[in-house]
Amino acid sequence: MAEAGGLLSGGSERRCRERLAGAAGRGAAAAAAVLVPLCSVRGRPALLFTLRSRRLGGPHSGDVSFPGGKRDPADTDAVATALRETREELGLELGAERVWGQLRPLPDRQGQLVAPVVANLGPLENLTLTPNPDEVEEIFTLPLAHLLREENQGYTHFCTAGRYSYTLPVFLNGPHRVWGLTAIVTELTLELLAPDRYRRKTHMLARSPSV
């Protein structure tokens, strides 16, 4: 497979911004937002993930996730929510110019819509991250080249009432397994960045429960 170095280039950014422009306003009704942090590590394009602190308790404790959370009444839109949550969780102040746009909102396990906001952090070596230990247990990255290799892509079939209902993606062979809503957002991001190189794993045959 060719090196994924061009996926965060200026030409790729313009193409992605144009594709995402049609989603403007789609996150307005979302109850929460996450930041999808593109970055580079030693020159290699990557995605940054967090491992949620077990101190949080609840169903998402210890899960792999992107920075994010519920919309605050003071947040003007989904972008504001994602940037605020990133600042609170990672101590990282990002300007709106870093944001490329929004992917389509997705339902979480409770059925509430979550708006994924795509942003480019730039070289990770140039950033100082100060994760909040009450929310973030670990920060790790996965190169886009790793995520695009078929041997690192899996899927899980789900059944409802004894019948096949839907399939969701799983990303393997990294420090932690990426699954659930975070895997679906990762999949949408790979389709955005490399539409000719990623084959979708999500497949619905019937109305599935929220993920």
Side-chain angles (χ1 to χ4, degrees), residues 6-176:
L7 296 182
L8 300 186
S9 66
S12 177
E13 177 178 347
R14 286 191 296 272
R15 178 185 61 79
C16 292
R17 283 181 179 269
E18 289 171 0
R19 277 193 64 184
L20 293 170
R26 291 193 305 183
V34 296
L35 192 84
V36 184
L38 309 176
C39 64
S40 65
V41 181
R42 293 185 291 278
R44 301 177 67 196
L47 276 178
L48 183 145
F49 298 87
T50 68
L51 190 68
R52 292 178 65 84
S53 173
R54 289 173 174 79
R55 301 181 190 181
L56 291 170
H60 301 296
S61 173
D63 284 357
V64 170
S65 66
F66 291 119
K70 293 182 179 179
R71 183 171 179 175
D72 189 280
D75 294 336
T76 55
D77 55 19
V79 171
T81 299
L83 294 180
R84 175 182 55 77
E85 288 285 345
T86 299
R87 182 173 64 253
E88 293 174 359
E89 293 184 21
L90 303 182
L92 183 61
E93 188 81 45
L94 291 176
E97 73 280 358
R98 294 285 188 174
V99 175
W100 286 11
Q102 296 176 39
L103 297 166
R104 62 181 175 88
L106 299 164
D108 65 10
R109 295 174 185 173
Q110 288 73 45
Q112 295 182 321
L113 286 179
V114 178
V117 175
V118 180
N120 187 2
L121 310 186
L124 199 62
E125 295 85 354
N126 295 344
L127 302 177
T128 300
L129 302 179
T130 54
N132 180 348
D134 290 329
E135 297 192 59
V136 177
E137 188 167 306
E138 183 181 336
I139 297 171
F140 68 97
T141 61
L142 289 174
L144 295 183
H146 172 99
L147 293 166
L148 287 168
R149 292 192 188 102
E150 289 191 13
E151 62 264 32
N152 299 325
Q153 300 167 5
Y155 54 86
T156 303
H157 293 312
F158 291 85
C159 294
T160 301
R163 299 179 60 183
Y164 166 68
S165 179
Y166 61 102
T167 298
L168 295 182
V170 180
F171 293 92
L172 309 166
N173 302 321
H176 304 282

Side-chain angles (χ1 to χ4, degrees), residues 175-203:
H176 304 282
R177 184 171 63 108
V178 180
W179 64 287
L181 183 64
T182 303
I184 298 174
V185 174
T186 299
E187 175 173 79
L188 292 176
T189 303
L190 293 176
E191 285 187 321
L192 172 72
L193 295 171
D196 57 337
R197 291 160 63 182
Y198 180 76
R199 184 175 180 181
R200 179 179 291 201
K201 302 293 188 296
T202 300
H203 184 58

